[in-house]
Amino acid sequence: MTRRLRYSLITAFWLVCGMAAASGLQVSPITLTLPPTQNADGLWLSNTGDNVVSAQIRVYRWTQEGFEDKLTPSRGLLVSPPMLQLPAEGRQLIRAIRAGAPPNGAGAVQEAYRIIIDELPVDTQGKKGLQFVLRYSVPIFVQPAGEPPIAPQLRWAVRDEAGTAFLEVANSGGSHAQLADLSFTDTAGRRTAVHAGLLGYVLPGAKMRWALKPAAATFTAGGSWEAMINGNTAQQNIQTADSPR
């Protein structure tokens, strides 16, 4: 069974049960990369609140198809422990362990996983109200054996669908691309801020698309994008088209 992934790192759920309470669950770091010579790494979960926090940790293989993120339960990466309780001010190391060999062979590319950490609601003994619980979605990337994978190779295009602009980005490289802080500059030098913060990821061999707030007419032919790609500022040329390919 596959699951669609939304690109907020933290998803909050309001549950009817108890007084409104803010969780103290924290996760660090927010992403991991396993080189081929390393079969495990760790995440730290900490509880900065005043109450015991219970959490469930699961692993999903992360792929992209039809402009969608898909999560499939996987044993390619294991986590230990899969369930835990953290006392107030407590910390726990979560180990992420590669179960098999890294990707290998001609054309091998980076594999992507997501570790989903769900805070579990506590028993409030019938008290009415709201409880705030968290979900963390942590990207884990497994590097292939041999030579380092080819860096992201991105092709950008803007599609005009009834006046709404859609940005499509295809990645023919061997590594993921994390896109953030997008702006567009037309041939006259006019700069438009398009998206602040994280837009999303494009995995190796995948193509993703996002609806943009500025009107499609903003993105004229010959313009260029500026974006943070894997934490580095880069410029990209674009194509324009009337409809998606």
Side-chain angles (χ1 to χ4, degrees), residues 28-29 47 80 94 99 106 123 148 157 168 184 210 222 234:
S28 179
N47 178 9
S80 178
I94 304 298
D123 183 3
E168 291 184 7
F184 177 79
W210 297 271

Side-chain angles (χ1 to χ4, degrees), residues 80-132:
S80 178
M83 301 280 292
L84 59 83
Q85 282 192 332
L86 281 176
E89 304 301 326
R91 296 181 77 212
Q92 171 72 54
L93 178 66
I94 304 298
R95 286 179 57 79
I97 306 163
R98 177 167 45 79
N104 59 78
V109 299
Q110 189 182 67
E111 286 184 350
Y113 295 84
R114 285 267 174 173
I115 290 181
I116 305 297
I117 303 167
D118 284 310
E119 181 185 2
L120 302 178
V122 299
D123 183 3
T124 55
Q125 299 180 347
K127 294 181 181 179
K128 295 182 179 180
L130 295 175
Q131 183 186 3
F132 187 61

Side-chain angles (χ1 to χ4, degrees), residues 9 30 37 61 63-64 71 74 76 105-106 115 118 122 125 136-137 140 150 156 162 165 188 196 218-219 224 239:
L9 178 63
I30 58 173
T37 56
R61 183 75 163 87
T63 57
Q64 293 174 330
L71 297 182
S74 175
I115 290 181
D118 284 310
V122 299
Q125 299 180 347
Y136 287 86
S137 178
I140 310 289
I150 298 173
W156 301 60
T218 304
F219 306 103
S224 64
Q239 296 177 331

Side-chain angles (χ1 to χ4, degrees), residues 4-245:
R4 294 181 180 178
L5 173 67
R6 294 181 180 177
Y7 269 116
S8 55
L9 178 63
I10 304 173
T11 304
F13 297 92
W14 288 98
L15 301 179
V16 177
C17 61
M19 298 175 60
S23 169
L25 183 64
Q26 304 291 325
V27 178
S28 179
I30 58 173
T31 186
L32 289 176
T33 298
L34 285 178
T37 56
Q38 181 179 337
N39 65 0
D41 206 339
L43 299 167
W44 282 100
L45 269 61
S46 58
N47 178 9
T48 59
D50 298 326
N51 301 309
V52 173
V53 170
S54 298
Q56 179 183 38
I57 301 97
R58 291 170 291 174
V59 177
Y60 294 87
R61 183 75 163 87
W62 176 22
T63 57
Q64 293 174 330
E65 182 181 345
F67 305 127
E68 295 281 353
D69 293 285
K70 295 188 176 181
L71 297 182
T72 306
S74 175
R75 299 284 294 175
L77 200 67
L78 307 177
V79 290
S80 178
M83 301 280 292
L84 59 83
Q85 282 192 332
L86 281 176
E89 304 301 326
R91 296 181 77 212
Q92 171 72 54
L93 178 66
I94 304 298
R95 286 179 57 79
I97 306 163
R98 177 167 45 79
N104 59 78
V109 299
Q110 189 182 67
E111 286 184 350
Y113 295 84
R114 285 267 174 173
I115 290 181
I116 305 297
I117 303 167
D118 284 310
E119 181 185 2
L120 302 178
V122 299
D123 183 3
T124 55
Q125 299 180 347
K127 294 181 181 179
K128 295 182 179 180
L130 295 175
Q131 183 186 3
F132 187 61
V133 295
L134 296 177
R135 164 173 287 183
Y136 287 86
S137 178
V138 181
I140 310 289
F141 301 103
V142 177
Q143 300 287 73
E147 295 295 323
I150 298 173
Q153 302 291 322
L154 304 181
R155 184 176 181 181
W156 301 60
V158 172
R159 312 290 174 189
D160 182 350
E161 298 186 9
T164 298
F166 288 86
L167 173 64
E168 291 184 7
V169 183
N171 181 5
S172 60
S175 301
H176 72 279
Q178 181 202 61
L179 308 180
D181 296 332
L182 274 68
S183 64
F184 177 79
T185 302
D186 65 18
T187 53
R190 290 184 293 266
R191 183 178 182 275
T192 301
V194 177
H195 185 90
L198 177 64
L199 178 68
Y201 288 80
V202 189
L203 299 179
K207 181 191 291 185
M208 294 295 288
R209 76 186 322 226
W210 297 271
L212 304 178
K213 289 184 179 180
T218 304
F219 306 103
T220 53
S224 64
W225 288 95
E226 184 173 283
M228 294 289 287
I229 302 175
N230 294 338
N232 299 309
T233 301
Q235 287 191 338
Q236 300 283 327
N237 294 326
I238 69 164
Q239 296 177 331
T240 58
D242 293 331
S243 60
R245 288 169 292 188

